Amino acid sequence: MSMEPDHGPDKRITLHGFNNLTKSLSFNMYDICYTKTKEEREAYIAYIDEQYNSERLTGILNTVSEMIGAHVLNVAKQDYVPQGASVTLLVSEGPVVEAPPHMFDESPGPMPDNVVMQLDKSHITVHTYPEYHPSEGISTFRADIDVFNCGEISPLKALSYLIGSFETDVMTIDYRVRGFTRDIYGNKLFIDHDITSIQNYIPDDIISSYDMIDVNVYQEHIFHTKCKLNRFDLNNYLFGYTKDKLSPKEQKEMEARLREEMDEIFYGKNLS
């Protein structure tokens, strides 16, 4: 007879062998800038390439691997011409130690800490995609980070750290638990922790800064959250100058175009 586990930090599940559940987190962030001229656009792309080069991205992924208890086996990294970068970490089982109970709660994870649990056959990747509109003056930087791990700690515990590592206007976050493992009685377990929303893994101060929408398929253990920054200041979207250099008409037009760009990314469709 198959049965779902009674989850909770005080009710740890004894498994028959290794935890074969695969937990996957996809974190996609977007940074938007108004680049009025070709020179501004090129300067913005150069800034992004420097800010998010493969060396810094490798540092971010190494920290994520530590937070979910991984040992890094191999690092492949590449900076691209004219822009963009990719990093892939192949990670393997770490030593088994007792993790703090809060690592199993449906709550935001800690900032980087040395939490090590069992994990195997896992990888972490990041790819960046700087791009720009051919005529509208909008430049957009996107980074896609995917964390796949087997073991007890969910990669959602690294989400707070990931959000804090990037300047983010729009985020889309996907989480899914795949496969099954077995308890000592042979019952299949298709998920080993409670979750009702990805938002519960995001700190309150970040939640208050974003408009958020959930699209979840609970019976399939599929969770999706998208977030759009709700505090708009035009100065945060200009590169190399401030809005006091613009006429009121220019400010209004730029703000409208930037808001439209953010809305289209957030809703996943063209609104014009």
Side-chain angles (χ1 to χ4, degrees):
M1 176 180 176
S2 177
M3 57 186 295
E4 289 294 323
D6 185 8
H7 307 303
D10 299 326
K11 297 182 179 179
R12 300 287 293 277
I13 305 164
T14 303
L15 300 179
H16 172 70
F18 181 70
N19 189 332
N20 290 317
L21 288 169
T22 300
K23 300 162 185 174
S24 60
L25 169 68
S26 292
F27 172 70
N28 312 107
M29 60 75 59
Y30 298 83
D31 178 71
I32 300 164
C33 186
Y34 198 97
T35 49
K36 186 167 57 174
T37 65
K38 178 183 177 182
E39 290 73 24
E40 288 177 19
R41 183 175 70 234
E42 291 175 347
Y44 173 73
I45 295 297
Y47 163 78
I48 287 296
D49 264 5
E50 176 63 27
Q51 184 75 2
Y52 299 112
N53 59 43
S54 63
E55 195 67 33
R56 178 166 185 259
L57 293 173
T58 299
I60 292 172
L61 297 196
N62 272 317
T63 300
V64 171
S65 71
E66 292 173 4
M67 294 178 73
I68 64 172
H71 281 188
V72 177
L73 293 177
N74 183 65
V75 178
K77 60 184 178 181
Q78 181 66 52
D79 291 295
Y80 299 112
V81 177
Q83 66 255 344
S86 294
V87 180
T88 299
L89 269 61
L90 180 65
V91 295
S92 72
E93 176 181 323
V96 180
V97 299
E98 190 70 17
H102 67 79
M103 293 303 290
F104 305 96
D105 291 337
E106 189 182 9
S107 61
M111 284 297 101
D113 198 2
N114 187 22
V115 178
V116 183
M117 289 296 293
Q118 189 176 4
L119 150 124
D120 203 354
K121 300 181 181 68
S122 307
H123 66 274
I124 310 171
T125 65
V126 60
H127 304 284
T128 67
Y129 304 90
E131 66 89 41
Y132 58 88
H133 192 285
S135 61
E136 292 287 340
I138 296 287
S139 292
T140 303
F141 167 69
R142 182 177 109 239
D144 295 348
I145 297 179
D146 294 292
V147 184
F148 295 83
N149 74 274
C150 301
E152 294 187 83
I153 295 178
S154 168
L156 285 169
K157 287 297 181 179
L159 185 56
S160 297
Y161 168 72
L162 284 173
I163 293 173
S165 298
F166 296 88
E167 298 175 3
T168 305
D169 295 308
V170 180
M171 301 180 288
T172 60
I173 307 163
D174 295 279
Y175 179 67
R176 183 173 186 182
V177 180
R178 294 183 173 90
F180 66 89
T181 191
R182 293 182 187 272
D183 66 16
I184 57 174
Y185 306 106
N187 299 311
K188 294 184 182 71
L189 307 177
F190 292 94
I191 192 166
D192 63 351
H193 65 94
D194 292 323
I195 176 172
T196 56
S197 172
I198 292 172
Q199 293 189 40
N200 294 334
Y201 290 85
I202 302 175
D204 290 340
D205 60 327
I206 295 177
I207 288 178
S208 66
S209 300
Y210 288 85
D211 295 326
M212 296 188 175
I213 295 176
D214 276 0
V215 182
N216 299 323
V217 186
Y218 296 104
Q219 66 272 23
E220 299 296 334
H221 310 309
I222 297 173
F223 304 87
H224 174 78
T225 298
K226 50 188 178 182
C227 319
K228 181 181 66 170
L229 202 63
N230 58 24
R231 300 171 185 171
F232 188 92
D233 181 351
L234 184 58
N235 281 329
N236 294 332
Y237 300 91
L238 303 177
F239 196 77
Y241 59 97
T242 54
K243 63 183 180 183
D244 60 297
K245 303 295 183 182
L246 303 170
S247 68
K249 180 182 179 182
E250 287 176 314
Q251 291 184 34
K252 186 176 180 181
E253 289 175 349
M254 286 184 179
E255 180 173 338
R257 185 65 191 92
L258 286 162
R259 286 184 179 275
E260 180 183 60
E261 182 80 358
M262 292 172 65
D263 286 344
E264 289 184 344
I265 295 171
F266 182 65
Y267 292 110
K269 62 182 179 181
N270 294 311
L271 301 176
S272 299

